[in-house]
Amino acid sequence: MKAILCDQFTGFEDLKMVDVARPDLGPGCVRIRTHYASVSYAISLMVAGRYQRKMELPFIPGTEVSGEVTECGPGVDHLNPGDRVAAIVDAGGFAEEVVIDAATVYPVPENVSLERAVGIPLSFGTAATALKRGDVKAGQRVLICGAGGALGLAAVEVAKLKGTTVFAAASSEAKLEAARLAGADVLIDYTSRNLLEAVREETGGQGVDVVFDPVGGSAFEDLIRCTANDGCILSVGFASGVIPQAPVNLLLVKNISLHGVNFSDCIGWGKTDRRHEYAPEMHVLMDWLFSAASAGNLNLREPETFEFADVKQAIARVVGRRSVGKVVLRVC
């Protein structure tokens, strides 16, 4: 089968398409014929050996796919050959077939395209898990940072589904327009408008109840100042490449809660593999998300799609921050 191979920790420019043997199917696993595979910034870190999970060389990148189940191993009772699914995989997604533990494989409703479904498990799963951790409620104000990326747009949609007023912060008109279409109520271009001043102006000086932050970086102190008394901040990642230092005194005087949200722990990517411990909770969450998508309550943006052979261009698009929303590969 055709696959994209990483055989050295350099850059994504050195990835190559090769013929490899089909992966073996073990107990509790399913074989999926890959139709689409997600492209993320994390892929560039993985192939450079700089991701929090360091892979053993050689390996096939790709951590999120959609496609069709072609074979089920012993012990799999919630899936059958022919099922349309989306899945979170440890690695191997950039291949015509992938074998993965069935714990992180989720059925896709017939009226949801596989092209759009591929972005639900990781982006929407992370967003929904974080907002649940923040106990987000209807009527609250929620600030979404990095609102033009796949994760940020997912957070906008999930926050709207929960009945909140969404403040979307992004770096361009195109990204803010995508956030508006996803349901954002207030749009803030932080390249032309001071984020702290904008939030204070839009909230009459009160601030927002919840901050969803997948960016980190030097603006983190302003995010604390944007947060209302008794509010909370959800630290989901560091897309800026800079891990911020929190001024704890500001958290204290405003009685703000700071939550770290590591979705990786829920899907088997933590220090220990806890995917089966979290599987019941994750399947309930994914059923809710896919049901919302099926009912038209999630406005799944059509992803920017590249052909399988154009994997390097797809990763460059994400790394260069030129993409809006999800970027995917059409594998077969």
Side-chain angles (χ1 to χ4, degrees):
M1 68 174 187
K2 296 291 185 185
I4 305 299
L5 189 69
C6 175
D7 58 9
Q8 56 182 325
F9 289 129
T10 54
F12 65 86
E13 298 87 355
D14 294 320
L15 292 173
K16 58 193 74 171
M17 181 176 286
V18 298
D19 287 306
V20 299
R22 298 175 72 202
D24 294 331
L25 179 69
C29 295
V30 297
R31 186 187 305 278
I32 298 171
R33 180 174 181 264
T34 308
H35 287 226
Y36 295 94
S38 290
V39 179
S40 66
Y41 184 78
I43 296 295
S44 69
L45 299 178
M46 286 181 182
V47 301
R50 296 191 290 113
Y51 193 62
Q52 58 192 18
R53 286 193 305 131
K54 191 159 186 177
M55 313 302 292
E56 291 187 12
L57 295 171
F59 72 98
I60 299 168
T63 58
E64 189 179 35
V65 302
S66 65
E68 179 184 343
V69 174
T70 59
E71 192 176 359
C72 298
V76 177
D77 55 12
H78 72 286
L79 296 166
N80 296 288
D83 286 351
R84 302 169 73 250
V85 296
I88 297 171
V89 302
D90 298 339
F94 291 179
E96 292 176 324
E97 289 186 349
V98 63
V99 169
I100 182 61
D101 191 310
T104 55
V105 180
Y106 313 104
V108 175
E110 287 295 330
N111 65 337
V112 178
S113 74
L114 291 175
E115 187 175 14
R116 299 189 186 212
V118 70
I120 290 181
L122 280 176
S123 294
F124 280 83
T126 300
T129 298
L131 294 172
K132 180 181 178 182
R133 180 77 181 273
D135 194 25
V136 172
K137 299 180 179 66
Q140 290 185 317
R141 298 183 178 113
V142 179
L143 170 63
I144 310 294
C145 301
L151 178 55
L153 288 173
V156 170
E157 294 220 32
V158 175
K160 286 302 296 181
L161 202 57
K162 288 179 174 288
T164 70
T165 299
V166 173
F167 292 64
S171 60
S172 71
E173 289 186 8
K175 292 180 178 181
L176 288 173
E177 174 61 12
R180 184 189 68 79
L181 293 174
D185 301 286
V186 179
L187 308 177
I188 302 172
D189 183 343
Y190 56 76
T191 64
S192 61
R193 191 178 181 192
N194 180 275
L195 179 61
L196 175 58
E197 292 177 0
V199 170
R200 285 176 171 170
E201 179 181 337
E202 297 286 352
T203 63
Q206 294 181 348
V208 294
D209 302 293
V210 179
V211 174
F212 179 94
D213 179 32
V215 180
S218 58
F220 192 76
E221 183 171 328
D222 277 351
L223 295 183
I224 296 176
R225 296 183 186 278
C226 285
T227 307
N229 289 343
D230 302 310
C232 79
I233 298 175
L234 304 168
S235 179
V236 185
F238 312 107
S240 68
V242 178
I243 299 174
Q245 301 298 309
V248 180
N249 62 307
L250 292 181
L251 298 175
L252 185 151
V253 297
K254 299 180 73 175
N255 203 32
I256 291 172
S257 301
L258 174 60
H259 298 282
V261 182
N262 181 17
F263 186 65
S264 295
D265 210 30
C266 303
I267 55 175
W269 297 356
K271 290 185 176 180
T272 58
D273 187 341
R274 302 175 65 191
R275 77 186 72 202
H276 290 281
E277 177 184 341
Y278 279 104
E281 177 184 341
M282 288 297 103
H283 278 271
V284 170
L285 177 66
M286 294 300 168
D287 285 347
W288 177 68
L289 289 169
F290 279 107
S291 295
S294 179
N297 295 326
L298 290 181
N299 179 27
L300 297 176
R301 178 187 176 90
E302 183 174 351
E304 189 172 353
T305 303
F306 289 75
E307 297 303 320
F308 194 23
D310 296 328
V311 60
K312 296 177 189 178
Q313 293 93 313
I315 298 174
R317 180 81 171 167
V318 175
V319 171
R321 305 190 188 282
R322 299 190 302 275
S323 58
V324 177
K326 200 72 173 177
V327 174
V328 304
L329 298 176
R330 182 185 293 110
V331 179
C332 56

